[in-house]
Amino acid sequence: GMATEKSPMRLGWRWIRSFARRPRAWCSRLSGERKALGAMVTGMAAVAWVSSSSYARAEDQRFTEEDLMDQFHEHACKDVESKMRLSELIKSLEPNDYKDTRDLDESEMQKVKEALSKFFPYVKGKGDPLLTLDDYLMVLALLSVSPFDYEIVCKIVDKSGEGCIELNEYTKMIACLLPNMGIHHPVALPSYVPMFGEDGHTSLTYEQLKSNWLEFRQVLREALFNRLDVNREGYISGGAFARYQLSYGPSDRLLKFENRISQEKNKEVSEKRVSKAEFLKYEQMLDAHENIERAVSLFNVANKPFGKHEFNHLIHGVIGIDFSPDMLDVLFTTYDNDGDGQLSGVELQHALQSTAMHGVTAHNQQGWLETTFGCMKDCFDSEIGYRFRS
């Protein structure tokens, strides 16, 4: 099981991913958005839901709003009260236990600023822009949704059903996502979001919003890779990749990896190259982990372990990507704890989501889709279902 002590040093990107795994609370909050969300949000209902949910295991490491605030203040400016530099926000998405990184150069930072400037009006200028606590929480809210769920989010918040999202619908979406993350700190929702125009009257099609949202997510991941690529070579070593990913989870898995990699047969794997493209494929796989788990539960009824070919076939079948032979070697050395050259059910689970610090239980192995469609029936009936009836 997961380490039980509170460890804010392991907050970060994978921690964010765990919030996207609460579809029932998320949808119920979206369906009830008309009940006086206003410009400020609170999240006590979400906290109560988590405490009673079958998704919450005693051994899962759950981070609280207090942990989030600690994370913000740990990375906040020392000379500007309650503000965080954009560069520090990027660092806050990493495991603090992993230190072998570099600062982004000006061109790399500029790419991040251009993507974020569609959502936040004051990040595009020169230098390292300042973000407020509210900005920080809204960034996490946007990152908490998997790209595989963007279409559903758009359909739910589009109350007119015309296929476009307006500024007020976007801010209500943020208002719904924040309390689902357990945040009951009052957050001032934005009155100006650049992608909706200077006057806020520009509407975006689903595809336009999804494109901006995906770019937002992608550039932050590329920035994380660039920080790992300390020599600016376009790749990192297999050992660096494994240590970085395992630093998000419990420390015993990293120790087991160090023992494996010290064996002569595995030393070569540690030096294999992981390109940015392979790194981003892995992140895409993590985004789809519930879809992949659904496929495993449907078609691997005998619970057979996965070899490299079977694993690659599984990932390709679900999300259409293929890992290179070198990347497969790195992944299997990282997660194959017993060294038998295969991933058992438990090892596959760790590969798919252990870095999210959020384990699968018997109650949620049906995956996101089946769970969500149950609760979305109410959402569609109360908000947009009438448009689908004859």
Side-chain angles (χ1 to χ4, degrees), residues 13 90 93 112 143 216-224:
W13 185 275
I90 295 169
L93 301 177
V112 176
L143 293 177
F216 175 96
R217 188 183 193 88
Q218 188 83 349
V219 298
L220 285 174
R221 284 180 160 167
E222 290 180 2
L224 294 175

Side-chain angles (χ1 to χ4, degrees), residues 21-197:
R21 308 309 161 200
R22 299 176 186 172
R24 199 169 291 276
W26 172 64
C27 288
S28 65
R29 190 165 295 280
L30 284 170
S31 68
E33 65 181 10
R34 64 182 180 272
K35 296 179 182 178
L37 276 171
M40 309 294 278
V41 294
T42 59
M44 296 307 293
V47 174
W49 180 86
V50 170
S51 66
S52 62
S53 170
S54 62
Y55 285 63
R57 299 190 309 168
E59 64 267 33
D60 276 352
Q61 187 169 349
R62 293 285 183 176
F63 293 104
T64 65
E65 181 182 14
E66 182 183 354
D67 294 319
L68 248 186
M69 299 306 169
D70 289 345
Q71 181 80 343
F72 175 83
H73 291 297
E74 179 184 343
H75 289 273
C77 298
K78 306 306 178 188
D79 55 341
V80 182
E81 186 177 359
S82 298
K83 295 287 182 72
M84 173 190 281
R85 296 282 180 190
L86 178 57
S87 59
E88 287 296 319
L89 182 145
I90 295 169
K91 291 180 185 178
S92 75
L93 301 177
E94 301 171 341
N96 285 4
D97 294 342
Y98 190 88
K99 300 295 184 182
D100 192 11
T101 57
R102 66 168 174 86
D103 292 335
L104 299 178
D105 61 34
E106 186 175 344
S107 64
E108 292 166 339
M109 279 293 290
Q110 186 60 33
K111 187 174 182 180
V112 176
K113 289 192 285 186
E114 287 176 1
L116 268 65
S117 68
K118 297 174 184 178
F119 296 81
F120 302 95
Y122 38 80
V123 300
K124 199 173 182 178
K126 295 182 179 179
D128 194 356
L130 291 166
L131 300 171
T132 65
L133 173 60
D134 288 348
D135 297 331
Y136 173 67
L137 295 176
M138 283 187 275
V139 167
L140 299 190
L142 289 166
L143 293 177
S144 74
V145 181
S146 166
F148 293 91
D149 304 336
Y150 288 173
E151 183 83 16
I152 293 175
V153 173
C154 289
K155 287 181 178 178
I156 292 176
V157 300
D158 177 19
K159 300 186 75 170
S160 69
E162 297 176 351
C164 291
I165 304 299
E166 299 176 353
L167 175 58
N168 69 315
E169 292 170 330
Y170 170 80
T171 55
K172 286 181 180 179
M173 178 191 79
I174 297 295
C176 294
L177 294 173
L178 285 166
N180 190 54
M181 295 167 63
I183 296 170
H184 50 87
H185 169 84
V187 175
L189 299 176
S191 58
Y192 171 51
V193 178
M195 61 183 169
F196 290 98

Side-chain angles (χ1 to χ4, degrees), residues 164-346:
C164 291
I165 304 299
E166 299 176 353
L167 175 58
N168 69 315
E169 292 170 330
Y170 170 80
T171 55
K172 286 181 180 179
M173 178 191 79
I174 297 295
C176 294
L177 294 173
L178 285 166
N180 190 54
M181 295 167 63
I183 296 170
H184 50 87
H185 169 84
V187 175
L189 299 176
S191 58
Y192 171 51
V193 178
M195 61 183 169
F196 290 98
E198 289 288 338
D199 58 3
H201 293 159
T202 300
S203 60
L204 301 178
T205 65
Y206 294 175
E207 287 303 317
Q208 288 172 324
L209 177 57
K210 286 160 55 182
S211 177
N212 291 344
W213 204 346
L214 190 60
E215 181 190 15
F216 175 96
R217 188 183 193 88
Q218 188 83 349
V219 298
L220 285 174
R221 284 180 160 167
E222 290 180 2
L224 294 175
F225 177 87
N226 291 337
R227 281 178 49 78
L228 288 171
D229 182 13
V230 293
N231 297 319
R232 293 179 169 83
E233 296 173 315
Y235 64 86
I236 59 177
S237 71
F241 171 86
R243 292 182 182 94
Y244 177 80
Q245 300 295 346
L246 293 173
S247 291
Y248 283 110
S251 58
D252 65 314
R253 289 181 195 154
L254 182 56
L255 291 174
K256 289 177 181 177
F257 168 77
E258 296 294 357
N259 290 334
R260 289 195 302 279
I261 208 67
S262 65
Q263 299 173 17
E264 195 64 36
K265 64 177 181 179
N266 293 326
K267 286 183 178 179
E268 181 183 347
V269 174
S270 184
E271 299 305 317
K272 290 195 174 185
R273 297 179 176 183
V274 175
S275 67
K276 180 183 291 186
E278 294 293 329
F279 179 88
L280 295 175
K281 285 180 186 178
Y282 176 81
E283 295 290 328
Q284 187 179 350
M285 181 190 77
L286 294 183
D287 283 340
H289 78 77
E290 288 190 329
N291 308 65
I292 297 167
E293 288 158 11
R294 174 65 168 163
V296 171
S297 68
L298 284 173
F299 300 110
N300 190 26
V301 292
N303 200 27
K304 294 181 178 179
F306 286 82
K308 293 174 185 177
H309 174 76
E310 292 82 11
F311 176 80
N312 220 18
H313 182 73
L314 169 68
I315 304 305
H316 178 86
V318 177
I319 55 176
I321 64 173
D322 295 286
F323 290 113
S324 68
D326 281 356
M327 187 62 176
L328 286 172
D329 288 343
V330 170
L331 288 174
F332 271 63
T333 304
T334 302
Y335 294 108
D336 179 17
N337 281 326
D338 58 13
D340 65 354
Q342 302 181 101
L343 294 183
S344 67
V346 172

Side-chain angles (χ1 to χ4, degrees), residues 326-376:
D326 281 356
M327 187 62 176
L328 286 172
D329 288 343
V330 170
L331 288 174
F332 271 63
T333 304
T334 302
Y335 294 108
D336 179 17
N337 281 326
D338 58 13
D340 65 354
Q342 302 181 101
L343 294 183
S344 67
V346 172
E347 291 167 341
L348 178 61
Q349 174 187 321
H350 292 167
L352 290 174
Q353 60 168 235
S354 66
T355 51
M357 297 184 285
H358 195 70
V360 172
T361 72
H363 297 285
N364 70 352
Q365 285 183 355
Q366 73 251 32
W368 191 89
L369 286 175
E370 184 172 315
T371 305
T372 299
F373 284 137
C375 69
M376 281 191 60

